[in-house]
């Protein structure tokens, strides 16, 4: 009778989803036989679609946070790259011209030597209603343009410089945001 109560107890806690538990088979009391050694059998890989998958097989799923962190890192790198391109590589003033007289041009820098120059603009000379404020400072990337400007330095000849203006400066481009791309005599 005690066995019936135990069976009722297990039935009480089992559900329809549980699989029946297999009882270990009783061994007959026969003398052990000599067995030949066999190679261990590797576990069988089962698909996720198999309904009767073993509970012993552990399926490792990729961590969801890892995917989130990778996406955030990629978005951050693209944002920083876009900001850098916008600020330092893309000019916001293109093909601008300014006419005036070249005051000086010189090669400056320790690691990155660039040509830096100053020009007094024609507008500043002709405007008598305002106090003279400052010169037009510029940098030159091209050596041939810099040599042309050096020839005109202090000559008193009126020149027109074409330039581009960037939002930020880079050490190899010069210390000014205005980069001269061409020069003509007037």
């Amino acid at each position: 009778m005690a066995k019936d109560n135990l069976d009722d107890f297990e039935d009480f806690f089992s559900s329809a989803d549980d699989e029946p538990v297999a009882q270990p088979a009783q061994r007959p009391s026969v003398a052990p036989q000599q067995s030949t050694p066999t190679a261990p059998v590797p576990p069988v890989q089962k698909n996720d679609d198999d309904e009767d998958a073993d509970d012993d097989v552990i399926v490792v799923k990729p961590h969801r946070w890892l995917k989130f962190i990778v996406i955030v890192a990629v978005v951050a790198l693209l944002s920083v790259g876009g900001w850098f391109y916008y600020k330092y590589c893309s000019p916001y003033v293109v093909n601008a011209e300014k006419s005036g007289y070249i005051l000086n041009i010189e090669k400056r820098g320790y690691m990155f030597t660039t040509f830096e120059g100053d020009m007094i603009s024609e507008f500043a000379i002709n405007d008598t209603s305002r106090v003279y404020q400052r010169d037009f400072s510029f940098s030159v990337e091209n050596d041939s343009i810099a040599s042309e400007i050096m020839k005109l330095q202090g000559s008193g000849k009126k020149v027109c410089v074409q330039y581009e203006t960037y939002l930020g400066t880079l050490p190899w481009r010069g210390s000014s945001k205005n980069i001269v791309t061409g020069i003509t005599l007037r």
Side-chain angles (χ1 to χ4, degrees), residues 67-138:
K67 189 183 286 186
F68 176 74
I69 289 172
V70 167
I71 290 172
V72 167
V74 167
V75 168
L77 283 174
L78 288 175
S79 298
V80 168
W83 170 80
F84 183 83
Y85 179 78
Y86 173 72
K87 181 157 180 135
Y88 296 105
C89 299
S90 176
Y92 72 94
V93 175
V94 182
N95 295 331
E97 291 186 357
K98 193 166 280 225
S99 60
Y101 302 95
I102 302 293
L103 294 178
N104 69 339
I105 185 164
E106 58 193 14
K107 197 169 189 176
R108 295 183 199 159
Y110 292 112
M111 285 187 67
F112 301 104
T113 56
T114 57
F115 291 98
E116 306 294 325
D118 293 316
M119 182 177 89
I120 185 168
S121 69
E122 185 180 19
F123 177 75
I125 293 173
N126 294 336
D127 188 10
T128 58
S129 63
R130 295 188 207 171
V131 177
Y132 177 69
Q133 294 177 351
R134 64 178 198 160
D135 299 331
F136 174 69
S137 298
F138 59 88

Side-chain angles (χ1 to χ4, degrees), residues 56-71:
D56 297 341
V57 177
I58 297 174
V59 177
V60 178
K61 294 182 180 178
H63 204 277
R64 291 181 185 173
W65 284 102
L66 181 63
K67 189 183 286 186
F68 176 74
I69 289 172
V70 167
I71 290 172

Side-chain angles (χ1 to χ4, degrees), residues 7-22:
D7 289 339
D8 292 339
F9 183 75
E10 288 176 0
D11 290 340
F12 180 73
F13 285 105
S14 66
S15 67
D17 295 338
D18 293 341
E19 295 179 12
V21 179

